[in-house]
Amino acid sequence: MNVQLEQKIAFSILFLCTLLVVVPVLIILVIIFVKGASALSLNFLFEMPTSGMTAGGIFPAILGTLYLVLGAILFAVPLGVLSAIYLVEYSRDNALSRIVKLAIVNLAGVPSVVYGLFGLGIFVLFLGFGASILSGSLTLGIMILPVIITSSREALESVPQSFRIVSLSLGASKWQTIRHSVLPHALPGILTGTILGLGRAAGETAPILFTVAAFYLPKLPQSVFDQTMALPYHLYVISTQVPGIPENVRYGTALVLLMLVLILNLAAIILRYQFRKRKKW
Amino acid sequence: MNTFVIETKHLDLFYDSFQALTDINLNIEEKKITALIGPSGCGKSTLLRVFNRMNDLIDGVRITGDVNVLGDNIFTPETDLIALRQKIGMVFQRPNPFPLSVYENIAFGLKIHRNQSKKEFTDIVKESLKSVILWDDLKDRLDNSALKLSLEQQQRLCIARVLTMKPQIILMDEPCSALDPIATLRIEELMQELKKNYTIVIVTHNMQQAARASDNTAFLYLGELVEYGETKHIYSSPKEKRTEDYLTGRFG
Ligand SMILES: Nc1ncnc2c1ncn2[C@@H]1O[C@H](COP(=O)(O)OP(=O)(O)OP(=O)(O)O)[C@@H](O)[C@H]1O
Ligand SMILES: [Mg+2]
């Protein structure tokens, strides 16, 4: 066959595949936007729901999701980064450490509902935190730990060995070396993992279903031991459990969830960009 | 009477079961430049890494014999590695500045050891850059990335980074092998300048470089110290047949 023709066919197929992936996503985004935009207003964002959730705002769900994501990140990032540091910098390369690493990678693939049940068993019942922001945050945190550990490990491993050697040869201790000449260069990669985890934590319904999410609460949570409403669960509730919710409220809620994740990601991306800029590759 | 800053006695080094150094007895003179020469794989870098114990980072290394640095045995349980490595700086084969600014690179060691005031900090940075003859070139570009410098400037910067520690000994492992001939000569000039205040041990593959730049030369072959003495004697009248063969390029 003619090389030129082959070239053209290959290009078309690849292009079509890309299109096939991108177009549905775009369509979903457009539909959500078109159907939901009319619901958006300051009241919708900052008011309590009224008349059996058919009117008013979704403020408690937005706030609840923010709390949960923040809690999950506060718990999972320090723990994840520290264990990644241990695995990369301190543990020896033996059968045990390889099994641990493999296990962590595989944990990322465990379905989120399993994490939900785990959280119910451990945090809600065994530790007696009840259905609460604390239980929900910890469950979400455990769910995103594997992602954070794995990407932190990759970030640490990609820091050139020579940085460590130079630092040690200048009389730095092992910890100083990690602190001053490894971690700063791994931060952008660590942030990438955090961004991925963040999006997942904000969007998942199953892990919060048993551990924190409330159908409807007349007031905002007062402490970490309170239940809270949350966007993904609220979306599920108003779409399937409560009849007579106007369509634009449902799509508006989905739109808010999407935008929230986008804004959180954007913040992390800007942060990462700032770190990259300081680094003078 | 010469004083020796590094003395090794019956030094053997094994990588697992492979013996890389055999019975090395070597005394390095203060404020002289000592060159370690020999064919590839003979153990030059290994020997150099013994002096600041960088071999500790390699799994399976075993060392027997005595090594004294500045009068202290460095293989005792009490040996303070941090203090040792401050006294002995190391310059590597490839210039390896951190991906940071010129200033941050030089200040790296100071930041870690943190025993100076801010004012002294900038003074030491300036002084170190002056000693490697970079100050005039870089004084307006301290904020620029060190990776944008020429390789020669990068290598000078790495030397300056070592100087901030106020070491007494500087180890250099083929410091010019990434540089062009002109840059190489200029680094050699710098070494002559540094010799006034520091003891330098340099590994080199370049026999002209050893001849030009060093006071003493040690010839290593298959992990043994074959011959050691004043460079001019070694080059004009080597005592050992193997040294002569190597210097005349009959093997290498
Ligand atoms: N980490 C290591 N593990 C095992 N063997 C090693 C290790 N490093 C070096 N060796 C071996 O020890 C011997 C000496 O190596 P070394 O790097 O000291 O030689 P060199 O004289 O510096 O060589 P070159 O001129 O190529 O740099 C070589 O045979 C090498 O294969
Ligand atoms: Mg070498």
Side-chain angles (χ1 to χ4, degrees):
Chain A
M1 209 194 325
N2 179 320
V3 179
Q4 300 278 325
L5 189 65
E6 241 178 74
Q7 170 97 335
K8 275 210 180 97
I9 293 176
F11 173 79
S12 315
I13 292 177
L14 294 175
F15 182 73
L16 272 176
C17 288
T18 313
L19 216 60
L20 227 60
V21 175
V22 174
V23 167
V25 175
L26 280 179
I27 292 179
I28 293 170
L29 285 178
V30 168
I31 290 179
I32 290 178
F33 187 80
V34 169
K35 294 196 172 180
S38 66
L40 290 194
S41 67
L42 278 182
N43 287 348
F44 187 64
L45 294 178
F46 295 110
E47 299 272 311
M48 304 292 286
T50 53
S51 356
M53 295 194 274
T54 53
I58 55 168
F59 183 63
I62 296 177
L63 192 70
T65 287
L66 282 177
Y67 282 156
L68 289 173
V69 168
L70 191 72
I73 293 290
L74 279 182
F75 168 67
V77 169
L79 196 64
V81 172
L82 291 178
S83 30
I85 291 176
Y86 174 76
L87 287 173
V88 175
E89 307 289 338
Y90 288 95
S91 78
R92 296 191 165 247
D93 187 32
N94 53 28
L96 182 70
S97 75
R98 254 174 276 154
I99 290 173
V100 170
K101 286 175 193 170
L102 194 70
I104 290 172
V105 172
N106 282 311
L107 274 178
V110 171
S112 56
V113 67
V114 175
Y115 285 104
L117 280 174
F118 171 81
L120 175 68
I122 296 288
F123 302 121
V124 178
L125 301 175
F126 181 73
L127 292 176
F129 297 155
S132 62
I133 294 179
L134 185 61
S135 300
S137 295
L138 291 174
T139 308
L140 287 172
I142 292 205
M143 180 186 74
I144 63 174
L145 257 182
V147 181
I148 290 180
I149 296 180
T150 305
S151 55
S152 302
R153 258 186 54 210
E154 276 161 13
L156 290 168
E157 275 162 4
S158 72
V159 175
Q161 198 57 26
S162 74
F163 292 10
R164 298 179 179 85
I165 291 180
V166 169
S167 173
L168 291 169
S169 82
L170 286 168
S173 67
K174 176 133 190 166
W175 171 245
Q176 286 173 324
T177 297
I178 293 169
R179 163 81 186 70
H180 292 285
S181 45
V182 178
L183 263 187
H185 305 289
L187 263 185
I190 292 174
L191 276 172
T192 305
T194 310
I195 293 173
L196 291 174
L198 218 126
R200 237 194 122 190
E204 285 285 354
T205 315
I208 57 174
L209 189 60
F210 314 126
T211 54
V212 51
F215 190 86
Y216 170 74
L217 287 173
K219 63 181 177 59
L220 296 174
Q222 305 298 310
S223 85
V224 293
F225 292 105
D226 285 351
Q227 273 191 291
T228 179
M229 298 172 70
L231 277 173
Y233 183 61
H234 182 66
L235 188 56
Y236 164 75
V237 165
I238 59 174
S239 309
T240 62
Q241 308 294 305
V242 184
I245 307 269
E247 187 184 64
N248 72 341
V249 170
R250 284 186 267 138
Y251 281 95
T253 306
L255 189 57
V256 170
L257 178 56
L258 262 176
M259 289 194 322
L260 193 76
V261 173
L262 279 181
I263 290 170
L264 289 175
N265 281 1
L266 203 66
I269 288 169
I270 290 171
L271 201 63
R272 181 172 64 178
Y273 176 75
Q274 291 298 331
F275 279 119
R276 284 245 170 90
K277 220 172 49 182
R278 267 194 39 223
K279 220 164 68 155
K280 320 216 168 177
W281 289 106
Chain B
M1 183 53 204
N2 296 325
T3 43
F4 301 123
V5 290
I6 301 177
E7 299 162 292
T8 75
K9 285 191 206 80
H10 305 301
L11 169 69
D12 292 320
L13 184 144
F14 301 83
Y15 289 113
D16 291 314
S17 57
F18 172 73
Q19 181 156 16
L21 295 174
T22 310
D23 196 28
I24 304 281
N25 296 286
L26 177 69
N27 295 331
I28 307 260
E29 285 184 71
E30 186 176 21
K31 297 198 178 147
K32 293 273 170 69
I33 298 177
T34 302
L36 304 180
I37 62 168
S40 200
C42 68
K44 306 179 294 292
S45 301
T46 302
L47 179 58
L48 203 66
R49 287 196 301 261
V50 167
F51 301 147
N52 61 348
R53 286 192 52 181
M54 288 304 276
N55 284 322
D56 287 18
L57 303 182
I58 302 169
D59 281 338
V61 170
R62 194 160 49 80
I63 294 171
T64 61
D66 282 336
V67 181
N68 284 311
V69 171
L70 302 164
D72 295 319
N73 184 342
I74 59 167
F75 285 101
T76 65
E78 299 83 51
T79 301
D80 179 354
L81 277 188
I82 290 172
L84 175 71
R85 289 177 184 157
Q86 280 181 264
K87 283 185 277 189
I88 310 192
M90 190 166 215
V91 176
F92 298 81
Q93 187 164 354
R94 283 214 55 88
N96 51 9
F98 296 113
L100 301 169
S101 72
V102 170
Y103 183 92
E104 287 169 305
N105 261 284
I106 306 279
F108 183 83
L110 298 173
K111 207 169 83 191
I112 284 199
H113 299 296
R114 238 196 272 261
N115 32 21
Q116 298 86 7
S117 67
K118 199 90 195 162
K119 167 91 175 63
E120 283 171 314
F121 225 83
T122 29
D123 286 349
I124 296 173
V125 169
K126 179 172 172 183
E127 202 181 296
S128 311
L129 278 174
K130 276 190 169 160
S131 345
V132 297
I133 331 201
L134 271 184
W135 177 252
D136 289 330
D137 284 349
L138 296 186
K139 62 170 181 258
D140 304 318
R141 293 192 277 156
L142 293 178
D143 289 332
N144 288 18
S145 165
L147 299 186
K148 299 254 165 62
L149 304 177
S150 74
L151 280 178
E152 182 196 346
Q153 287 176 321
Q154 290 186 17
Q155 196 61 304
R156 283 175 187 269
L157 187 73
C158 292
I159 297 173
R161 185 169 62 186
V162 163
L163 295 184
T164 59
M165 302 281 82
K166 309 230 176 289
Q168 303 186 39
I169 304 167
I170 304 174
L171 309 174
M172 300 183 171
D173 195 347
E174 302 186 44
C176 300
S177 62
L179 307 181
D180 65 52
I182 310 242
T184 300
L185 283 180
R186 283 204 296 253
I187 296 280
E188 285 173 23
E189 273 170 37
L190 172 62
M191 285 164 50
Q192 299 307 321
E193 222 20 68
L194 293 175
K195 187 175 101 170
K196 293 173 188 155
N197 299 306
Y198 306 92
T199 305
I200 297 177
V201 185
I202 176 176
V203 168
T204 176
H205 261 292
N206 177 334
M207 284 182 266
Q208 289 85 14
Q209 178 169 59
R212 277 191 308 258
S214 70
D215 301 299
N216 296 322
T217 296
F219 172 60
L220 289 158
Y221 185 60
L222 296 179
E224 286 178 51
L225 178 61
V226 174
E227 192 164 352
Y228 176 49
E230 277 188 62
T231 301
K232 52 178 187 280
H233 292 303
I234 297 252
Y235 274 76
S236 59
S237 49
K239 291 195 202 65
E240 289 278 335
K241 174 88 171 52
R242 284 177 292 178
T243 317
E244 189 181 343
D245 286 350
Y246 180 70
L247 293 176
T248 52
R250 243 164 283 170
F251 65 82

Short mmCIF file of all heavy atoms in Angstrom, two decimals, chain B residues 15 18 20 38-47 49 58 174 205, ligand 1:
data_model
loop_
_atom_site.label_atom_id
_atom_site.label_comp_id
_atom_site.label_asym_id
_atom_site.label_seq_id
_atom_site.Cartn_x
_atom_site.Cartn_y
_atom_site.Cartn_z
N TYR B 15 34.03 -5.06 47.71
CA TYR B 15 32.62 -4.94 47.35
C TYR B 15 32.08 -6.36 47.42
O TYR B 15 32.38 -7.17 46.54
CB TYR B 15 32.45 -4.40 45.93
CG TYR B 15 32.83 -2.94 45.75
CD1 TYR B 15 33.92 -2.57 44.98
CD2 TYR B 15 32.07 -1.94 46.34
CE1 TYR B 15 34.25 -1.23 44.80
CE2 TYR B 15 32.39 -0.60 46.17
CZ TYR B 15 33.47 -0.25 45.40
OH TYR B 15 33.80 1.07 45.22
N PHE B 18 34.33 -9.13 46.08
CA PHE B 18 35.33 -8.61 45.14
C PHE B 18 36.26 -7.62 45.85
O PHE B 18 35.81 -6.64 46.44
CB PHE B 18 34.63 -7.93 43.96
CG PHE B 18 35.57 -7.19 43.05
CD1 PHE B 18 36.41 -7.89 42.19
CD2 PHE B 18 35.63 -5.80 43.07
CE1 PHE B 18 37.29 -7.21 41.36
CE2 PHE B 18 36.50 -5.12 42.24
CZ PHE B 18 37.34 -5.83 41.38
N ALA B 20 38.51 -4.66 45.84
CA ALA B 20 38.77 -3.53 44.95
C ALA B 20 40.06 -2.81 45.33
O ALA B 20 40.68 -2.17 44.48
CB ALA B 20 37.59 -2.56 44.97
N GLY B 38 45.83 5.79 37.02
CA GLY B 38 45.77 4.35 36.79
C GLY B 38 44.67 4.04 35.80
O GLY B 38 43.79 4.86 35.56
N PRO B 39 44.72 2.84 35.23
CA PRO B 39 43.73 2.48 34.22
C PRO B 39 42.32 2.40 34.81
O PRO B 39 42.14 2.30 36.02
CB PRO B 39 44.18 1.11 33.72
CG PRO B 39 45.15 0.60 34.73
CD PRO B 39 45.72 1.77 35.43
N SER B 40 41.35 2.43 33.93
CA SER B 40 39.95 2.39 34.34
C SER B 40 39.67 1.15 35.19
O SER B 40 40.12 0.06 34.85
CB SER B 40 39.08 2.37 33.09
OG SER B 40 37.81 2.79 33.42
N GLY B 41 38.96 1.34 36.29
CA GLY B 41 38.59 0.20 37.12
C GLY B 41 39.65 -0.21 38.12
O GLY B 41 39.48 -1.22 38.81
N CYS B 42 40.73 0.57 38.25
CA CYS B 42 41.80 0.14 39.16
C CYS B 42 41.51 0.53 40.61
O CYS B 42 42.22 0.12 41.52
CB CYS B 42 43.14 0.74 38.73
SG CYS B 42 43.22 2.51 38.94
N GLY B 43 40.48 1.33 40.84
CA GLY B 43 40.10 1.62 42.21
C GLY B 43 40.34 3.06 42.66
O GLY B 43 40.29 3.35 43.85
N LYS B 44 40.57 3.95 41.71
CA LYS B 44 40.87 5.34 42.08
C LYS B 44 39.69 6.00 42.80
O LYS B 44 39.85 6.58 43.88
CB LYS B 44 41.22 6.17 40.83
CG LYS B 44 42.33 5.58 39.98
CD LYS B 44 42.62 6.42 38.75
CE LYS B 44 41.48 6.47 37.74
NZ LYS B 44 41.21 5.19 37.06
N SER B 45 38.51 5.89 42.18
CA SER B 45 37.33 6.51 42.80
C SER B 45 37.01 5.85 44.13
O SER B 45 36.63 6.51 45.10
CB SER B 45 36.11 6.40 41.88
OG SER B 45 36.38 7.02 40.66
N THR B 46 37.16 4.53 44.16
CA THR B 46 36.90 3.80 45.40
C THR B 46 37.78 4.31 46.52
O THR B 46 37.31 4.58 47.63
CB THR B 46 37.16 2.30 45.17
OG1 THR B 46 36.32 1.85 44.10
CG2 THR B 46 36.87 1.49 46.41
N LEU B 47 39.08 4.49 46.21
CA LEU B 47 40.01 4.98 47.24
C LEU B 47 39.63 6.39 47.69
O LEU B 47 39.61 6.68 48.88
CB LEU B 47 41.44 4.96 46.68
CG LEU B 47 42.53 5.46 47.62
CD1 LEU B 47 42.56 4.64 48.91
CD2 LEU B 47 43.91 5.40 46.94
N ARG B 49 36.73 7.74 47.72
CA ARG B 49 35.51 7.71 48.54
C ARG B 49 35.76 7.14 49.93
O ARG B 49 34.92 7.29 50.82
CB ARG B 49 34.41 6.90 47.84
CG ARG B 49 33.79 7.61 46.65
CD ARG B 49 32.47 6.94 46.24
NE ARG B 49 32.65 5.55 45.90
CZ ARG B 49 32.77 5.08 44.66
NH1 ARG B 49 32.68 5.92 43.64
NH2 ARG B 49 32.94 3.79 44.43
N ILE B 58 27.19 2.60 49.78
CA ILE B 58 27.09 1.44 48.90
C ILE B 58 26.92 0.19 49.76
O ILE B 58 27.71 -0.05 50.67
CB ILE B 58 28.34 1.32 48.01
CG1 ILE B 58 28.52 2.60 47.19
CG2 ILE B 58 28.25 0.09 47.11
CD1 ILE B 58 29.84 2.72 46.48
N GLU B 174 38.06 13.21 38.82
CA GLU B 174 38.05 13.60 37.40
C GLU B 174 37.25 14.88 37.19
O GLU B 174 36.29 14.90 36.41
CB GLU B 174 37.47 12.47 36.55
CG GLU B 174 38.26 11.17 36.69
CD GLU B 174 37.77 10.10 35.73
OE1 GLU B 174 37.53 10.44 34.57
OE2 GLU B 174 37.62 8.95 36.16
N HIS B 205 42.33 10.81 34.60
CA HIS B 205 42.67 9.87 33.54
C HIS B 205 43.67 10.51 32.60
O HIS B 205 44.20 9.88 31.70
CB HIS B 205 41.41 9.58 32.71
CG HIS B 205 40.76 8.30 33.09
ND1 HIS B 205 41.35 7.09 32.85
CD2 HIS B 205 39.59 8.04 33.71
CE1 HIS B 205 40.54 6.15 33.31
NE2 HIS B 205 39.48 6.70 33.84
N1 LIG C 1 29.32 -0.13 43.82
C1 LIG C 1 30.15 -1.09 43.39
N2 LIG C 1 29.83 -2.38 43.58
C2 LIG C 1 30.65 -3.36 43.14
N3 LIG C 1 31.82 -3.16 42.53
C3 LIG C 1 32.21 -1.90 42.31
C4 LIG C 1 31.39 -0.79 42.74
N4 LIG C 1 32.02 0.35 42.39
C5 LIG C 1 33.16 -0.02 41.79
N5 LIG C 1 33.29 -1.36 41.74
C6 LIG C 1 34.42 -2.12 41.18
O1 LIG C 1 35.59 -1.74 41.85
C7 LIG C 1 36.66 -1.56 40.96
C8 LIG C 1 37.22 -0.17 41.11
O2 LIG C 1 36.23 0.76 40.68
P1 LIG C 1 36.49 2.32 40.69
O3 LIG C 1 35.24 2.98 40.26
O4 LIG C 1 37.07 2.72 41.97
O5 LIG C 1 37.60 2.45 39.55
P2 LIG C 1 38.24 3.76 38.93
O6 LIG C 1 39.70 3.58 38.99
O7 LIG C 1 37.68 4.98 39.54
O8 LIG C 1 37.77 3.62 37.43
P3 LIG C 1 37.43 4.78 36.38
O9 LIG C 1 38.72 5.31 35.95
O10 LIG C 1 36.72 4.05 35.30
O11 LIG C 1 36.57 5.77 37.08
C9 LIG C 1 36.11 -1.84 39.56
O12 LIG C 1 36.48 -3.15 39.19
C10 LIG C 1 34.62 -1.74 39.73
O13 LIG C 1 33.98 -2.64 38.88
#
